[in-house]
Amino acid sequence: HPCAFPPEIFEDVTLNLIHNPNINSSVLFRADILYDSAKHPRWDRQSITSEAYQIRDTPRNYIVAHDGFPAFTLKQTIVRRMIPRNPILDKSGALEGYTKRVHHDQLISQQRVQDTYTRLKAAHAKRLSDQWVEQTDSSKHVFEDLSIAAFLMELWKDMYQPTGLSRNTIAKEDLRPAFPGFVDIGCGNGVLVDILLREGYQGWGFDARSRKSWATFESSTQRQLKQMILVPQPLLDNNPDMSQKSREDSPKLLSKLLPRACTTTRTPDTEIEWHNGVFPLGTFIISNHADELTPWTPLLAYLSLSPFLMIPCCSHNLSGLRFRAPSKFNSYSADTLAPTFFADSITKAKSVAISVAPEAGEDHQPRQGNLKDLSQANRSKQPSAYAALCDWASHLARAVGYEVEKEMLRLPSTRNTGLICRKLNPGAEELSATERMDIVRTIAATEGADAGVWVNRAKGLMAGKGEKH
């Protein structure tokens, strides 16, 4: 488009923004101009302030190299100091040893993810927003799932061969495996599954409750969304009486192991479907705000030697009950009081269920306590409930041999910690399926997982009792 104003106008506006960065930034208060070559063409003690003289070498460091910008001439050099609105965080905090706590783009560059996000947004955002039928806010869920899809697609580019290409078009030296298919456990509204399917990635998703939005998708997507309860096989194995009773009550208690994650089809009857959590080997597991399934994600992934992305949200134990997850603060000790104590008392008494690592030779019994009983040092070390959940989920993943990578995802959500496990430690994947199952059973028993409680809560979720995301 032709420019409708002379260059002098552009220059005036640009200089105004340089002198007043607070116009387009909410975190800046002003800019102090320490040096301006337009006013002080000579860089010496007489022409500048004493404060600016301390940085006298700065303009020399920013001299444009010869022929750096053909047809342009350097006319002005400005040195400024940015003044934040909150100097305690930006100035005093730095002097006191403040360090940045959130680090994005640790695994994949910001440019790659944002470029893919921009493309996905242009391709899918309007369609998904226009056909939104859920009571929740479409502006949050649609764009959040677009962001997750962008991250996953760039992650998969590093892990797998390109999708949609014949074997003959893939370079022989490409040693990456073919994409194994994905499963989105606790898929909710199904938007993420729909986006990934449309982008050529084969997979499916399930949730304890079907959603209205499922009916708005194309039939090819609808076939890959399934209303299903997941009852982890290790839970059933640790409760043989229930396992036998359940099999007698319903021959379809556990879905047959699917030959491939992308070939599941909806059964014609309305009988409750179950899955035991054992997926085809290598299936990529997506656990996005899966709540009760969050702590089971690394354990089930290990059974199938699957990589996974887990984005924790609400804290539940391995029985599916709400609780405050253990962390480094209490040596990851399972707290049997947490499910009931936290649900009933945490907001009323500001108390915690304290689980303290035992002394040598001492039986460990978690005990209820109050934050006031803890020393100030210990109180300051205690993580938030969300940080504790992420910590515990990472601990469970490491317990079965995964190398845990962490990425703070760029999502419109405060629950944006992504835990990515792509590799198992040497020896962990060499164990047989039976040996892996035994390891997971032991962890489940140690954590006090109860199959009866799990199934009752799962049935409640199908009836609409529980969180919606």
Side-chain angles (χ1 to χ4, degrees):
H1 300 284
C3 185
F5 53 85
E8 291 78 14
I9 299 296
F10 181 83
E11 182 179 5
D12 289 343
V13 172
T14 300
L15 286 173
N16 185 47
L17 290 175
I18 291 175
H19 284 80
N20 301 281
N22 51 291
I23 292 176
N24 58 359
S25 174
S26 61
V27 298
L28 292 175
F29 188 58
R30 69 177 189 278
D32 287 347
I33 305 302
L34 302 182
Y35 171 74
D36 187 343
S37 64
K39 297 179 180 179
H40 306 288
R42 295 184 61 193
W43 187 254
D44 53 41
R45 284 183 181 274
Q46 287 71 38
S47 64
I48 59 175
T49 65
S50 59
E51 183 179 24
Y53 187 75
Q54 298 174 7
I55 56 170
R56 59 189 179 278
D57 293 327
T58 299
R60 298 192 186 100
N61 295 334
Y62 287 91
I63 293 176
V64 179
H66 180 64
D67 294 332
F69 296 95
F72 287 87
T73 302
L74 177 64
K75 295 175 57 178
Q76 188 173 357
T77 299
I78 298 175
V79 178
R80 59 181 180 167
R81 180 181 61 191
M82 313 297 271
I83 306 300
R85 289 188 177 275
N86 191 338
I88 295 177
L89 290 178
D90 292 81
K91 187 176 180 180
S92 301
L95 294 175
E96 294 170 2
Y98 171 80
T99 57
K100 186 176 181 181
R101 297 174 61 186
V102 177
H103 297 276
H104 296 279
D105 316 311
Q106 299 297 294
L107 304 182
I108 304 171
S109 70
Q110 178 182 0
Q111 179 181 357
R112 285 177 56 188
V113 176
Q114 288 188 339
D115 286 351
T116 299
Y117 171 77
T118 300
R119 183 181 65 77
L120 293 178
K121 180 180 176 182
H124 304 289
K126 187 178 186 305
R127 169 183 61 84
L128 292 169
S129 297
D130 289 348
Q131 67 187 28
W132 190 256
V133 293
E134 304 289 348
Q135 296 180 354
T136 50
D137 184 7
S138 64
S139 63
K140 175 185 184 298
H141 289 277
V142 169
F143 294 102
E144 182 173 310
D145 286 341
L146 285 168
S147 297
I148 296 172
F151 177 81
L152 280 170
M153 289 169 61
E154 289 303 315
L155 181 72
W156 290 342
K157 286 180 183 178
D158 292 343
M159 296 176 61
Y160 306 111
Q161 295 175 356
T163 60
L165 297 177
S166 67
R167 298 294 301 178
N168 294 332
T169 62
I170 299 175
K172 294 181 179 180
E173 61 272 16
D174 190 344
L175 300 179
R176 293 173 298 173
F179 184 68
F182 71 85
V183 58
D184 187 351
I185 62 177
C187 65
N189 54 49
V191 169
L192 181 57
V193 173
D194 177 70
I195 296 170
L196 294 174
L197 289 175
R198 284 173 172 265
E199 290 296 318
Y201 293 92
Q202 297 298 311
W204 65 293
F206 66 89
D207 201 283
R209 290 192 307 272
S210 62
R211 301 294 202 274
K212 295 178 181 178
S213 55
W214 293 8
T216 67
F217 299 132
E218 292 183 346
S219 58
S220 57
T221 295
Q222 292 185 38
R223 287 193 296 269
Q224 304 305 96
L225 295 171
K226 206 167 181 65
Q227 182 176 2
M228 179 186 294
I229 290 177
L230 191 150
V231 183
Q233 186 63 46
L235 267 183
L236 294 173
D237 292 345
N238 285 349
N239 294 265
D241 292 340
M242 178 192 168
S243 180
Q244 180 61 34
K245 182 178 184 300
S246 298
R247 289 192 177 93
E248 292 173 355
D249 290 345
S250 172
K252 297 186 67 175
L253 172 65
L254 301 176
S255 297
K256 293 181 179 180
L257 184 61
L258 303 172
R260 289 187 63 203
C262 58
T263 57
T264 182
T265 56
R266 188 189 307 275
T267 53
D269 54 56
T270 59
E271 187 177 0
I272 295 176
E273 284 196 79
W274 303 72
H275 197 288
N276 64 355
V278 180
F279 301 102
L281 288 178
T283 300
F284 193 98
I285 297 176
I286 303 171
S287 177
N288 173 26
H289 292 187
D291 290 348
E292 289 87 350
L293 296 178
T294 295
W296 276 103
T297 300
L299 306 182
L300 297 179
Y302 183 54
L303 296 180
S304 301
L305 298 179
S306 292
F308 63 88
L309 165 65
M310 173 170 48
I311 308 174
C313 183
C314 301
S315 185
H316 295 77
N317 64 11
L318 292 180
S319 297
L321 295 173
R322 292 293 299 269
F323 87 137
R324 184 185 180 99
S327 67
K328 293 178 182 177
F329 179 74
N330 52 19
S331 301
Y332 300 112
S333 300
D335 193 338
T336 56
L337 295 176
T340 55
F341 180 73
F342 276 98
D344 297 335
S345 306
I346 187 63
T347 57
K348 299 177 183 178
K350 295 183 179 179
S351 300
V352 293
I354 306 170
S355 191
V356 182
E359 299 292 338
E362 176 184 342
D363 290 336
H364 175 50
Q365 293 294 331
R367 63 179 184 272
Q368 180 174 314
N370 193 290
L371 275 174
K372 294 180 180 179
D373 298 332
L374 294 176
S375 67
Q376 182 61 43
N378 281 336
R379 271 186 284 176
S380 65
K381 293 178 182 178
Q382 188 192 32
S384 68
Y386 183 64
L389 172 61
C390 295
D391 194 12
W392 181 51
S394 299
H395 167 70
L396 292 175
R398 294 189 185 98
V400 294
Y402 278 105
E403 296 180 15
V404 181
E405 299 171 285
K406 183 178 179 180
E407 181 70 273
M408 302 306 294
L409 302 172
R410 296 178 181 274
L411 306 178
S413 171
T414 57
R415 307 298 175 91
N416 64 334
T417 298
L419 301 175
I420 302 97
C421 291
R422 296 182 281 181
K423 300 178 181 178
L424 283 161
N425 295 322
E429 61 182 337
E430 297 175 2
L431 299 179
S432 67
T434 301
E435 291 171 319
R436 297 197 301 273
M437 182 67 75
D438 287 341
I439 291 173
V440 175
R441 286 194 198 109
T442 300
I443 293 175
T446 302
E447 294 289 335
D450 188 304
V453 174
W454 177 271
V455 170
N456 286 333
R457 283 189 58 82
K459 291 180 178 179
L461 289 174
M462 293 196 72
K465 301 175 183 179
E467 293 86 1
K468 294 182 179 180
H469 296 290

mmCIF file of all heavy atoms in Angstrom, residues 107-108 151-152 155 159 284 307-311 394 397 402-409 417-423:
data_model
loop_
_atom_site.group_PDB
_atom_site.id
_atom_site.type_symbol
_atom_site.label_atom_id
_atom_site.label_comp_id
_atom_site.label_asym_id
_atom_site.label_seq_id
_atom_site.Cartn_x
_atom_site.Cartn_y
_atom_site.Cartn_z
ATOM 1 N N LEU A 107 12.957 -26.328 24.715
ATOM 2 C CA LEU A 107 13.085 -27.492 23.834
ATOM 3 C C LEU A 107 12.966 -27.125 22.360
ATOM 4 O O LEU A 107 13.652 -27.702 21.516
ATOM 5 C CB LEU A 107 12.019 -28.542 24.186
ATOM 6 C CG LEU A 107 11.995 -29.034 25.632
ATOM 7 C CD1 LEU A 107 10.927 -30.104 25.797
ATOM 8 C CD2 LEU A 107 13.347 -29.579 26.044
ATOM 9 N N ILE A 108 12.081 -26.196 22.065
ATOM 10 C CA ILE A 108 11.828 -25.794 20.689
ATOM 11 C C ILE A 108 11.825 -24.278 20.634
ATOM 12 O O ILE A 108 11.290 -23.617 21.531
ATOM 13 C CB ILE A 108 10.482 -26.349 20.180
ATOM 14 C CG1 ILE A 108 10.440 -27.875 20.336
ATOM 15 C CG2 ILE A 108 10.246 -25.976 18.726
ATOM 16 C CD1 ILE A 108 9.093 -28.472 20.061
ATOM 17 N N PHE A 151 2.846 -26.730 19.448
ATOM 18 C CA PHE A 151 4.007 -27.262 20.158
ATOM 19 C C PHE A 151 4.207 -28.739 19.839
ATOM 20 O O PHE A 151 5.324 -29.188 19.570
ATOM 21 C CB PHE A 151 3.839 -27.068 21.668
ATOM 22 C CG PHE A 151 4.961 -27.660 22.470
ATOM 23 C CD1 PHE A 151 6.159 -26.973 22.626
ATOM 24 C CD2 PHE A 151 4.830 -28.913 23.069
ATOM 25 C CE1 PHE A 151 7.200 -27.526 23.357
ATOM 26 C CE2 PHE A 151 5.868 -29.467 23.789
ATOM 27 C CZ PHE A 151 7.050 -28.767 23.941
ATOM 28 N N LEU A 152 3.118 -29.517 19.873
ATOM 29 C CA LEU A 152 3.221 -30.946 19.592
ATOM 30 C C LEU A 152 3.740 -31.209 18.180
ATOM 31 O O LEU A 152 4.607 -32.073 17.978
ATOM 32 C CB LEU A 152 1.857 -31.614 19.772
ATOM 33 C CG LEU A 152 1.436 -31.950 21.204
ATOM 34 C CD1 LEU A 152 -0.022 -32.381 21.239
ATOM 35 C CD2 LEU A 152 2.323 -33.029 21.797
ATOM 36 N N LEU A 155 7.358 -30.563 18.079
ATOM 37 C CA LEU A 155 8.041 -31.613 18.832
ATOM 38 C C LEU A 155 8.125 -32.891 18.015
ATOM 39 O O LEU A 155 9.181 -33.549 17.950
ATOM 40 C CB LEU A 155 7.300 -31.870 20.151
ATOM 41 C CG LEU A 155 7.890 -32.940 21.081
ATOM 42 C CD1 LEU A 155 9.182 -32.444 21.716
ATOM 43 C CD2 LEU A 155 6.878 -33.332 22.161
ATOM 44 N N MET A 159 11.038 -35.683 16.487
ATOM 45 C CA MET A 159 11.030 -37.069 16.942
ATOM 46 C C MET A 159 10.774 -38.077 15.828
ATOM 47 O O MET A 159 11.310 -39.191 15.874
ATOM 48 C CB MET A 159 9.960 -37.253 18.027
ATOM 49 C CG MET A 159 10.199 -36.461 19.297
ATOM 50 S SD MET A 159 8.828 -36.654 20.483
ATOM 51 C CE MET A 159 8.881 -38.424 20.796
ATOM 52 N N PHE A 284 2.121 -42.156 21.191
ATOM 53 C CA PHE A 284 2.392 -40.903 21.900
ATOM 54 C C PHE A 284 1.156 -40.525 22.714
ATOM 55 O O PHE A 284 0.054 -40.386 22.173
ATOM 56 C CB PHE A 284 2.738 -39.778 20.924
ATOM 57 C CG PHE A 284 3.322 -38.572 21.615
ATOM 58 C CD1 PHE A 284 4.693 -38.376 21.655
ATOM 59 C CD2 PHE A 284 2.500 -37.651 22.246
ATOM 60 C CE1 PHE A 284 5.237 -37.282 22.317
ATOM 61 C CE2 PHE A 284 3.028 -36.551 22.899
ATOM 62 C CZ PHE A 284 4.405 -36.370 22.943
ATOM 63 N N PRO A 307 6.288 -42.321 24.655
ATOM 64 C CA PRO A 307 6.615 -40.944 25.010
ATOM 65 C C PRO A 307 5.319 -40.203 25.325
ATOM 66 O O PRO A 307 4.226 -40.647 24.934
ATOM 67 C CB PRO A 307 7.279 -40.401 23.751
ATOM 68 C CG PRO A 307 6.687 -41.198 22.643
ATOM 69 C CD PRO A 307 6.387 -42.570 23.206
ATOM 70 N N PHE A 308 5.424 -39.082 26.003
ATOM 71 C CA PHE A 308 4.195 -38.373 26.337
ATOM 72 C C PHE A 308 4.455 -36.901 26.633
ATOM 73 O O PHE A 308 5.574 -36.492 26.954
ATOM 74 C CB PHE A 308 3.490 -39.024 27.540
ATOM 75 C CG PHE A 308 4.266 -39.006 28.827
ATOM 76 C CD1 PHE A 308 4.181 -37.930 29.705
ATOM 77 C CD2 PHE A 308 5.079 -40.079 29.185
ATOM 78 C CE1 PHE A 308 4.895 -37.927 30.895
ATOM 79 C CE2 PHE A 308 5.790 -40.078 30.379
ATOM 80 C CZ PHE A 308 5.697 -38.995 31.236
ATOM 81 N N LEU A 309 3.389 -36.120 26.496
ATOM 82 C CA LEU A 309 3.331 -34.737 26.962
ATOM 83 C C LEU A 309 2.255 -34.675 28.024
ATOM 84 O O LEU A 309 1.103 -35.057 27.775
ATOM 85 C CB LEU A 309 2.991 -33.777 25.820
ATOM 86 C CG LEU A 309 2.562 -32.361 26.255
ATOM 87 C CD1 LEU A 309 3.706 -31.628 26.940
ATOM 88 C CD2 LEU A 309 2.040 -31.555 25.065
ATOM 89 N N MET A 310 2.618 -34.180 29.201
ATOM 90 C CA MET A 310 1.676 -34.058 30.300
ATOM 91 C C MET A 310 1.619 -32.603 30.741
ATOM 92 O O MET A 310 2.654 -31.982 31.002
ATOM 93 C CB MET A 310 2.115 -34.965 31.463
ATOM 94 C CG MET A 310 1.318 -34.800 32.737
ATOM 95 S SD MET A 310 1.684 -36.095 33.965
ATOM 96 C CE MET A 310 3.479 -36.116 33.967
ATOM 97 N N ILE A 311 0.404 -32.037 30.792
ATOM 98 C CA ILE A 311 0.196 -30.677 31.277
ATOM 99 C C ILE A 311 -0.707 -30.777 32.499
ATOM 100 O O ILE A 311 -1.936 -30.849 32.372
ATOM 101 C CB ILE A 311 -0.449 -29.791 30.196
ATOM 102 C CG1 ILE A 311 0.342 -29.874 28.886
ATOM 103 C CG2 ILE A 311 -0.521 -28.335 30.670
ATOM 104 C CD1 ILE A 311 -0.314 -29.136 27.738
ATOM 105 N N SER A 394 6.592 -35.483 38.009
ATOM 106 C CA SER A 394 7.949 -35.712 37.489
ATOM 107 C C SER A 394 8.632 -36.837 38.252
ATOM 108 O O SER A 394 9.355 -37.659 37.666
ATOM 109 C CB SER A 394 8.776 -34.429 37.610
ATOM 110 O OG SER A 394 8.205 -33.378 36.853
ATOM 111 N N ALA A 397 7.433 -40.137 37.012
ATOM 112 C CA ALA A 397 8.031 -40.446 35.709
ATOM 113 C C ALA A 397 9.464 -40.942 35.878
ATOM 114 O O ALA A 397 9.884 -41.913 35.228
ATOM 115 C CB ALA A 397 7.989 -39.204 34.813
ATOM 116 N N TYR A 402 11.990 -42.568 33.192
ATOM 117 C CA TYR A 402 11.931 -41.547 32.149
ATOM 118 C C TYR A 402 12.885 -40.392 32.445
ATOM 119 O O TYR A 402 13.107 -40.026 33.607
ATOM 120 C CB TYR A 402 10.520 -40.977 32.013
ATOM 121 C CG TYR A 402 9.594 -41.825 31.181
ATOM 122 C CD1 TYR A 402 8.603 -42.604 31.778
ATOM 123 C CD2 TYR A 402 9.705 -41.852 29.796
ATOM 124 C CE1 TYR A 402 7.742 -43.389 31.021
ATOM 125 C CE2 TYR A 402 8.838 -42.636 29.025
ATOM 126 C CZ TYR A 402 7.870 -43.393 29.638
ATOM 127 O OH TYR A 402 7.034 -44.168 28.880
ATOM 128 N N GLU A 403 13.433 -39.823 31.387
ATOM 129 C CA GLU A 403 14.134 -38.548 31.476
ATOM 130 C C GLU A 403 13.091 -37.448 31.291
ATOM 131 O O GLU A 403 12.423 -37.390 30.259
ATOM 132 C CB GLU A 403 15.209 -38.438 30.398
ATOM 133 C CG GLU A 403 16.329 -39.460 30.534
ATOM 134 C CD GLU A 403 17.365 -39.297 29.436
ATOM 135 O OE1 GLU A 403 17.365 -38.250 28.764
ATOM 136 O OE2 GLU A 403 18.173 -40.237 29.247
ATOM 137 N N VAL A 404 12.933 -36.600 32.289
ATOM 138 C CA VAL A 404 11.865 -35.594 32.275
ATOM 139 C C VAL A 404 12.400 -34.262 31.767
ATOM 140 O O VAL A 404 13.387 -33.745 32.293
ATOM 141 C CB VAL A 404 11.251 -35.412 33.671
ATOM 142 C CG1 VAL A 404 10.119 -34.389 33.635
ATOM 143 C CG2 VAL A 404 10.735 -36.744 34.211
ATOM 144 N N GLU A 405 11.747 -33.733 30.741
ATOM 145 C CA GLU A 405 12.059 -32.406 30.228
ATOM 146 C C GLU A 405 10.889 -31.480 30.556
ATOM 147 O O GLU A 405 9.729 -31.900 30.536
ATOM 148 C CB GLU A 405 12.282 -32.446 28.719
ATOM 149 C CG GLU A 405 13.434 -33.345 28.299
ATOM 150 C CD GLU A 405 13.501 -33.529 26.805
ATOM 151 O OE1 GLU A 405 12.663 -34.272 26.266
ATOM 152 O OE2 GLU A 405 14.387 -32.914 26.180
ATOM 153 N N LYS A 406 11.197 -30.236 30.838
ATOM 154 C CA LYS A 406 10.168 -29.290 31.272
ATOM 155 C C LYS A 406 10.126 -28.101 30.326
ATOM 156 O O LYS A 406 11.156 -27.544 29.963
ATOM 157 C CB LYS A 406 10.454 -28.818 32.695
ATOM 158 C CG LYS A 406 9.411 -27.880 33.281
ATOM 159 C CD LYS A 406 9.778 -27.525 34.717
ATOM 160 C CE LYS A 406 8.777 -26.565 35.333
ATOM 161 N NZ LYS A 406 9.149 -26.219 36.735
ATOM 162 N N GLU A 407 8.923 -27.720 29.946
ATOM 163 C CA GLU A 407 8.725 -26.562 29.082
ATOM 164 C C GLU A 407 7.546 -25.748 29.598
ATOM 165 O O GLU A 407 6.456 -26.300 29.816
ATOM 166 C CB GLU A 407 8.454 -27.004 27.645
ATOM 167 C CG GLU A 407 8.250 -25.860 26.654
ATOM 168 C CD GLU A 407 9.539 -25.102 26.398
ATOM 169 O OE1 GLU A 407 9.813 -24.164 27.182
ATOM 170 O OE2 GLU A 407 10.250 -25.430 25.439
ATOM 171 N N MET A 408 7.769 -24.460 29.826
ATOM 172 C CA MET A 408 6.668 -23.575 30.200
ATOM 173 C C MET A 408 5.999 -23.132 28.902
ATOM 174 O O MET A 408 6.510 -22.291 28.167
ATOM 175 C CB MET A 408 7.186 -22.377 30.992
ATOM 176 C CG MET A 408 7.942 -22.762 32.256
ATOM 177 S SD MET A 408 6.994 -23.851 33.361
ATOM 178 C CE MET A 408 5.668 -22.743 33.842
ATOM 179 N N LEU A 409 4.860 -23.741 28.621
ATOM 180 C CA LEU A 409 4.183 -23.529 27.347
ATOM 181 C C LEU A 409 3.543 -22.144 27.293
ATOM 182 O O LEU A 409 3.097 -21.608 28.314
ATOM 183 C CB LEU A 409 3.120 -24.608 27.143
ATOM 184 C CG LEU A 409 3.639 -26.044 27.162
ATOM 185 C CD1 LEU A 409 2.473 -27.025 27.139
ATOM 186 C CD2 LEU A 409 4.568 -26.304 25.986
ATOM 187 N N THR A 417 2.544 -25.678 32.667
ATOM 188 C CA THR A 417 3.779 -26.463 32.739
ATOM 189 C C THR A 417 3.643 -27.720 31.889
ATOM 190 O O THR A 417 2.735 -28.526 32.086
ATOM 191 C CB THR A 417 4.087 -26.862 34.194
ATOM 192 O OG1 THR A 417 4.275 -25.684 34.966
ATOM 193 C CG2 THR A 417 5.354 -27.712 34.256
ATOM 194 N N GLY A 418 4.534 -27.867 30.931
ATOM 195 C CA GLY A 418 4.548 -29.064 30.107
ATOM 196 C C GLY A 418 5.678 -29.984 30.526
ATOM 197 O O GLY A 418 6.841 -29.571 30.583
ATOM 198 N N LEU A 419 5.356 -31.209 30.880
ATOM 199 C CA LEU A 419 6.348 -32.228 31.230
ATOM 200 C C LEU A 419 6.432 -33.200 30.061
ATOM 201 O O LEU A 419 5.449 -33.863 29.723
ATOM 202 C CB LEU A 419 5.958 -32.948 32.519
ATOM 203 C CG LEU A 419 5.796 -32.053 33.751
ATOM 204 C CD1 LEU A 419 5.300 -32.860 34.942
ATOM 205 C CD2 LEU A 419 7.089 -31.337 34.088
ATOM 206 N N ILE A 420 7.587 -33.249 29.435
ATOM 207 C CA ILE A 420 7.773 -34.053 28.227
ATOM 208 C C ILE A 420 8.746 -35.180 28.519
ATOM 209 O O ILE A 420 9.835 -34.947 29.061
ATOM 210 C CB ILE A 420 8.306 -33.188 27.061
ATOM 211 C CG1 ILE A 420 7.342 -32.041 26.764
ATOM 212 C CG2 ILE A 420 8.524 -34.042 25.822
ATOM 213 C CD1 ILE A 420 7.704 -30.736 27.407
ATOM 214 N N CYS A 421 8.355 -36.382 28.212
ATOM 215 C CA CYS A 421 9.227 -37.546 28.388
ATOM 216 C C CYS A 421 9.340 -38.262 27.043
ATOM 217 O O CYS A 421 8.364 -38.838 26.554
ATOM 218 C CB CYS A 421 8.677 -38.486 29.459
ATOM 219 S SG CYS A 421 8.760 -37.806 31.130
ATOM 220 N N ARG A 422 10.537 -38.192 26.476
ATOM 221 C CA ARG A 422 10.781 -38.815 25.170
ATOM 222 C C ARG A 422 11.729 -39.997 25.261
ATOM 223 O O ARG A 422 11.770 -40.831 24.369
ATOM 224 C CB ARG A 422 11.369 -37.774 24.207
ATOM 225 C CG ARG A 422 10.461 -36.635 23.895
ATOM 226 C CD ARG A 422 11.071 -35.669 22.894
ATOM 227 N NE ARG A 422 12.036 -34.756 23.496
ATOM 228 C CZ ARG A 422 12.677 -33.809 22.836
ATOM 229 N NH1 ARG A 422 12.469 -33.669 21.531
ATOM 230 N NH2 ARG A 422 13.521 -32.993 23.445
ATOM 231 N N LYS A 423 12.509 -40.054 26.332
ATOM 232 C CA LYS A 423 13.532 -41.082 26.439
ATOM 233 C C LYS A 423 13.445 -41.782 27.791
ATOM 234 O O LYS A 423 13.088 -41.188 28.802
ATOM 235 C CB LYS A 423 14.928 -40.458 26.289
ATOM 236 C CG LYS A 423 15.169 -39.760 24.963
ATOM 237 C CD LYS A 423 16.557 -39.128 24.940
ATOM 238 C CE LYS A 423 16.815 -38.392 23.641
ATOM 239 N NZ LYS A 423 18.155 -37.733 23.641
#
